[in-house]
């Protein structure tokens, strides 16, 4: 099948000057020769830690940054040589609430951007109310954006991103900083877009979000792609383990050592959560082994012990550390 | 696109202007200050024509407004994160800025009118314009050339975020360098070439002829010709720079930092 987004050895470096007076130039490789393709109608997720190069990749694909090496094509058009053609057919949303005219109404914001995208006036008359309806702002279209909550602004951005009826939408962390309910309603909107035959290219730091939305996921680390696959296959990476979690005030070192010494245990990690330490054990999914471990956790007086199946997040952590 | 982008950007700039809580203040107090300063500074100088002084105050306001609209608006759009979305759209940044420049030039004209009103009503200045029709035409020419210069200068603001600091300097430097308040002959010789390539210099000269001189002489026509030639050069150079900028900002990523 045809790819609507395609990259070949795409790379981007930045110069960074350090120091104030005696500037030392250093090269940062933000995206390091990545090659991938996205098919029409896909909801493609790009995941990776801070600074992995996700935003930089999006900027190159949306014609806002010129690659230092390699090529990228959107709808078969080259992102540098045919940028103008691409811009008419795509749109981009950078996460967060910036990028709106705060003193104007939501409607006026949409009207201005539809002008800039050359949307005919008659189409605007229908499309703007439709989009406001879609993102749940139908009643607030006349209000100044500065009176909007953060979630409302981010939903207005989605409407802005749809103003030219793009066939591909790029979204950089669209749900960042939203409360759980706001994030969920935004996810529902995003999900709804794919049924309208749109291709969505999304980045996020929320694993369950990627799991819920994406048809395929690419994992990016230090500018390189580690793996591209469906969320299901990602989870298969860790399907042969069971995860046991427990909490305690001070988890004894000896307990961790003893757990790690077991043949059947794959990985033991601890993390701090509020006042408590959280212990996570990845182990073979056999009942005997699990019961045995539970017993020792119980003896060590740990609380909140529970067993769960591995999630996308576990796969993510495994691949990142692997 | 083209004209449509210019029109929408100029309407947008007008809405934004009206949405500013201080717009009434800006449109009344600021010209008032210009008029007062101009009249008080030159009150006791017998050789200077008071209509010209009032007009000079108005020109100062007009220039400030145009520069603000074309140049400084880029800084503001960068700050609010809208610049990247403008850039991502298929409309050209140059046309967007041109639209903004147009609106602010018209606002600037209002500034000038208001300075005149204040001078007449509050200070009782007798306004005498030797060639009223020529004066209006010259004013139109100034508006056009200020906008052209504003677009040219806006390239600086797009390319560099340090240019923000330049805005204020440019606004006031023009009053000195362009001989709006004092004749250029007061300036050191090495600055004069700069005066000659800036249209506010010629604008001030042309308006002075139209206001003061009984007969329009050679100096007037040289001024008109210079404004025409320079303004067209600004537009051509600005257009060239914008065609380069579109690529350059994508190479340097300067649009993303602020
Ligand atoms: N304009 C720039 N100038 C210099 N370096 C930059 C610039 N933009 C990004 N970088 C660097 O490139 C690398 C990748 O940044 P990028 O923003 O693409 O990461 P990201 O995956 O989006 O991270 P995050 O999850 O934090 O948003 C980082 O090391 C960053 O410091
Ligand atoms: Mg990012």
């Amino acid at each position: 099948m045809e790819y609507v987004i395609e990259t070949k050895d795409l790379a981007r470096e930045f110069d960074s000057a350090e120091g104030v007076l005696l500037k030392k130039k250093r090269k940062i490789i933000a995206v390091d020769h990545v090659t991938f393709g996205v098919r029409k109608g896909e909801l493609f997720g790009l995941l990776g830690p801070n600074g992995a190069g996700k935003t930089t990749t999006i900027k190159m694909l949306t014609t806002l940054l010129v690659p230092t090496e390699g090529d990228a094509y959107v709808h078969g058009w080259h992102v540098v040589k045919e940028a103008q053609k691409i811009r008419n057919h795509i749109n981009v949303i950078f996460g967060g609430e910036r990028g709106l005219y705060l003193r104007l109404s939501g409607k006026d914001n949409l009207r201005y951007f539809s002008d800039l995208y050359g949307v005919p006036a008659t189409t605007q008359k229908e499309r703007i109310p439709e989009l406001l309806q879609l993102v749940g702002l139908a009643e607030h279209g006349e209000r100044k954006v500065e009176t909007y909550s953060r979630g409302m602004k981010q939903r207005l951005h989605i409407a802005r991103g749809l103003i030219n009826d793009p066939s591909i939408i790029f979204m950089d962390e669209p749900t960042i900083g939203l409360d759980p309910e706001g994030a969920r309603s935004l996810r529902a909107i995003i999900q709804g877009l794919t049924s309208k035959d749109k291709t969505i290219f999304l980045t996020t730091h929320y694993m369950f979000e990627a799991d819920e939305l994406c048809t395929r996921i690419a994992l990016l680390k230090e500018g390189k792609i580690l793996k591209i696959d469906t969320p299901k296959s990602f989870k298969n990476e860790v399907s042969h383990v069971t995860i046991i979690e427990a909490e305690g005030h001070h988890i004894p070192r000896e307990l961790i050592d003893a757990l790690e010494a077991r043949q059947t245990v794959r990985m033991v990690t601890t993390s701090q959560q509020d006042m408590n330490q959280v212990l996570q054990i990845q182990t073979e999914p056999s009942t005997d082994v699990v019961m045995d471990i539970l017993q020792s956790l119980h003896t060590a007086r740990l609380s909140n012990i529970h067993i769960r199946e591995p999630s996308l997040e576990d796969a993510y952590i495994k691949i990142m550390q692997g | 696109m083209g004209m449509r982008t210019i029109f929408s950007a100029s309407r947008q700039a007008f809405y934004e202007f009206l949405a500013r809580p201080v717009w009434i203040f800006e449109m009344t107090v600021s010209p008032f200050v210009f008029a007062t300063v101009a009249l008080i500074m030159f009150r006791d100088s017998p050789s200077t024509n008071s209509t010209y002084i009032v007009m000079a105050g108005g020109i100062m306001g007009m220039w400030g407004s145009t520069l603000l609209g074309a140049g400084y608006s880029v800084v503001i759009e960068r700050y609010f994160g809208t610049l990247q979305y403008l850039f991502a759209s298929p409309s050209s940044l140059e046309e967007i800025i041109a639209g903004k420049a147009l609106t602010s030039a018209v606002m600037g004209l209002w500034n000038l009118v208001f300075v005149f009103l204040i001078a007449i009503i509050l200070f009782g200045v007798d306004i005498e314009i030797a060639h009223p029709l020529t004066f209006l035409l010259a004013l139109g020419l100034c508006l056009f050339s200020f906008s052209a210069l504003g677009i040219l200068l806006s390239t600086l603001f797009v390319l560099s975020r340090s240019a923000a600091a330049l805005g204020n300097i440019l606004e006031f430097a023009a009053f000195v360098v362009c001989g709006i308040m004092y004749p250029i002959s007061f300036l050191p010789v090495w600055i004069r070439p700069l005066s000659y390539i800036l249209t506010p210099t010629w604008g001030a000269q042309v308006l002075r002829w139209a206001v003061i001189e009984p007969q329009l002489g050679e100096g007037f026509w040289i001024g008109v010709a210079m404004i025409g030639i320079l303004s067209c050069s600004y537009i051509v150079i600005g257009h060239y720079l914008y065609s380069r900028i579109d690529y350059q900002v994508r190479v340097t990523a300067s649009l993303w930092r602020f």
Side-chain angles (χ1 to χ4, degrees):
Chain A
M1 214 178 140
E2 277 275 295
Y3 288 131
V4 289
I5 303 172
E6 205 176 358
T7 75
K8 286 180 189 145
D9 284 328
L10 186 68
R12 171 75 207 202
E13 285 180 356
F14 290 107
D15 286 328
S16 86
E18 290 173 0
V20 178
L21 284 178
L22 290 167
K23 283 191 178 161
K24 258 195 292 183
K25 282 238 167 153
R26 206 163 61 94
K27 288 233 183 289
I28 298 172
I29 301 172
V31 176
D32 195 358
H33 301 89
V34 301
T35 302
F36 63 85
V38 178
R39 295 183 196 92
K40 186 167 182 230
E42 266 198 291
L43 213 161
F44 189 90
L46 192 59
L47 306 187
N50 293 129
K54 302 179 297 293
T55 302
T56 307
T57 305
I58 286 201
K59 283 178 186 165
M60 287 192 283
L61 293 175
T62 52
T63 76
L64 301 177
L65 268 185
V66 173
T68 33
E69 269 177 65
D71 293 295
Y73 300 87
V74 173
H75 281 309
W77 291 310
H78 193 271
V79 291
V80 180
K81 291 171 209 147
E82 294 164 299
Q84 206 55 30
K85 282 185 191 147
I86 295 176
R87 287 180 186 183
N88 280 307
H89 294 90
I90 64 165
N91 214 317
V92 57
I93 295 157
F94 293 103
E97 49 186 337
R98 294 179 71 236
L100 295 163
Y101 295 94
L102 299 180
R103 297 225 176 86
L104 301 186
S105 70
K107 238 181 199 160
D108 281 337
N109 270 273
L110 295 182
R111 197 174 298 140
Y112 183 43
F113 280 106
S114 46
D115 279 347
L116 296 184
Y117 278 87
V119 179
T122 45
T123 315
Q124 286 184 27
K125 277 213 183 68
E126 286 170 22
R127 194 176 287 167
I128 291 173
E130 264 171 33
L131 288 177
L132 285 170
Q133 181 80 39
L134 175 77
V135 299
L137 292 175
E139 262 115 71
H140 309 288
E142 308 287 350
R143 263 171 65 186
K144 282 189 179 190
V145 174
E146 64 188 356
T147 69
Y148 283 18
S149 71
R150 180 172 181 139
M152 290 165 82
K153 285 182 202 155
Q154 283 177 238
R155 277 181 285 150
L156 184 62
H157 260 309
I158 301 275
R160 184 197 52 72
L162 293 168
I163 202 74
N164 57 330
D165 195 21
S167 52
I168 308 176
I169 308 155
F170 295 84
M171 300 182 179
D172 195 10
E173 302 186 42
T175 58
I176 189 171
L178 295 186
D179 67 43
E181 220 170 303
R184 183 188 298 163
S185 85
L186 208 73
R187 279 199 296 277
I189 294 169
I190 295 171
Q191 187 92 66
L193 294 176
T194 45
S195 60
K196 293 185 182 152
D197 223 20
K198 300 198 182 297
T199 309
I200 295 172
F201 189 100
L202 171 115
T203 77
T204 178
H205 283 295
Y206 307 120
M207 294 304 139
F208 62 93
E209 182 167 297
D211 195 6
E212 187 183 318
L213 289 177
C214 298
T215 49
R216 279 197 309 146
I217 289 170
L219 219 58
L220 202 64
K221 184 186 183 181
E222 290 166 8
K224 291 195 179 69
I225 289 189
L226 299 184
K227 186 178 165 75
I228 305 182
D229 222 325
T230 60
K232 201 167 144 58
S233 319
F234 266 97
K235 282 183 277 187
N236 279 341
E237 283 259 334
V238 280
S239 64
H240 49 279
V241 299
T242 286
I243 290 166
I244 306 170
E245 284 171 332
E247 287 179 21
H249 269 309
H250 289 288
I251 299 174
R253 187 70 239 174
E254 304 82 61
L255 175 68
I256 297 171
D257 289 342
L259 286 168
E260 272 175 342
R262 285 171 184 251
Q263 278 286 310
T264 50
V265 170
R266 297 284 152 76
M267 198 158 82
V268 181
T269 54
T270 55
S271 58
Q272 196 69 34
Q273 213 168 68
D274 301 327
M275 301 290 283
N276 282 334
Q277 259 186 309
V278 178
L279 180 70
Q280 198 196 70
I281 305 148
Q282 294 195 6
T283 175
E284 266 179 23
S286 105
T287 321
D288 286 350
V289 172
V290 171
M291 291 307 280
D292 210 23
I293 292 174
L294 288 181
Q295 188 58 49
S296 58
L297 296 181
H298 194 70
T299 317
R301 296 179 158 274
L302 297 190
S303 57
N304 257 337
I305 302 172
H306 66 271
I307 309 167
R308 62 173 176 84
E309 290 308 304
S311 64
L312 185 62
E313 182 162 343
D314 299 311
Y316 174 90
I317 289 169
K318 175 162 186 266
I319 297 168
M320 281 298 162
Q321 293 181 343
Chain B
M1 303 279 153
M3 286 316 286
R4 200 176 148 197
T5 303
I6 296 178
F7 174 74
S8 326
S10 112
R11 187 180 56 185
Q12 172 78 2
F14 184 64
Y15 285 169
E16 278 178 72
F17 180 81
L18 292 187
R20 281 219 294 272
V22 292
W23 72 273
I24 297 195
F25 183 81
E26 279 173 39
M27 289 194 79
T28 52
V29 176
S30 133
F32 178 79
V33 171
F34 279 125
T36 314
V37 168
L39 286 168
I40 291 175
M41 269 168 71
F42 294 94
R43 190 180 40 196
D44 301 322
S45 99
S47 62
T48 325
N49 176 304
S50 56
T51 305
Y52 177 74
I53 292 167
V54 173
M55 195 207 60
I59 292 276
M60 279 167 64
M62 211 161 102
W63 164 245
S65 162
T66 311
L67 189 69
L68 194 79
Y72 205 66
S73 71
V74 174
V75 178
I76 293 169
E77 301 245 15
R78 189 197 300 273
Y79 179 76
F80 283 107
T82 45
L83 191 60
Q84 58 187 12
Y85 290 117
L86 297 184
F87 194 73
S89 83
S91 287
S92 89
L93 202 53
E94 184 185 10
E95 285 163 7
I96 295 172
I97 305 279
K100 283 168 171 285
L102 205 69
T103 295
S104 48
V106 173
M107 296 296 168
L109 194 60
W110 162 257
N111 235 297
L112 182 115
V113 170
F114 207 79
V115 167
F116 269 83
L117 289 179
I118 288 170
I120 295 167
I121 297 166
L122 294 185
F123 292 90
V125 175
D126 280 332
I127 298 294
E128 286 168 45
I129 297 172
H131 311 274
L133 197 62
T134 313
F135 175 76
L136 284 182
L137 290 176
L139 208 55
L141 205 59
C142 282
L143 266 185
F144 168 70
S145 85
F146 285 9
S147 307
L149 185 53
I151 293 171
L152 179 62
L153 290 174
S154 71
T155 57
L156 287 177
F157 294 89
V158 177
L159 276 177
S160 159
R161 51 210 158 123
S162 327
L166 221 67
N168 278 326
I169 301 173
L170 281 174
E171 186 176 352
F172 291 101
F175 305 150
V176 179
V177 175
C178 299
I180 292 174
M181 281 297 177
Y182 305 91
I184 294 173
S185 52
F186 283 23
L187 295 174
V189 177
W190 56 268
I191 279 189
R192 285 186 214 167
L194 186 63
S195 310
Y196 294 136
I197 59 165
L198 293 173
T199 45
T201 306
W202 302 104
Q205 174 171 325
V206 163
L207 289 170
R208 182 178 321 165
W209 276 89
V211 170
I212 300 173
E213 305 295 335
Q215 213 74 63
L216 293 180
E218 206 182 32
F220 175 80
W221 297 110
I222 291 176
V224 169
M226 285 308 289
I227 294 175
I229 293 166
L230 285 172
S231 303
C232 292
S233 316
Y234 295 162
I235 289 175
V236 171
I237 297 169
H239 187 65
Y240 170 76
L241 288 179
Y242 266 107
S243 71
R244 303 277 311 199
I245 280 175
D246 185 67
Y247 184 74
Q248 199 57 34
V249 293
R250 290 190 286 155
V251 172
T252 59
S254 63
L255 215 57
W256 310 98
R257 304 181 216 162
F258 56 99

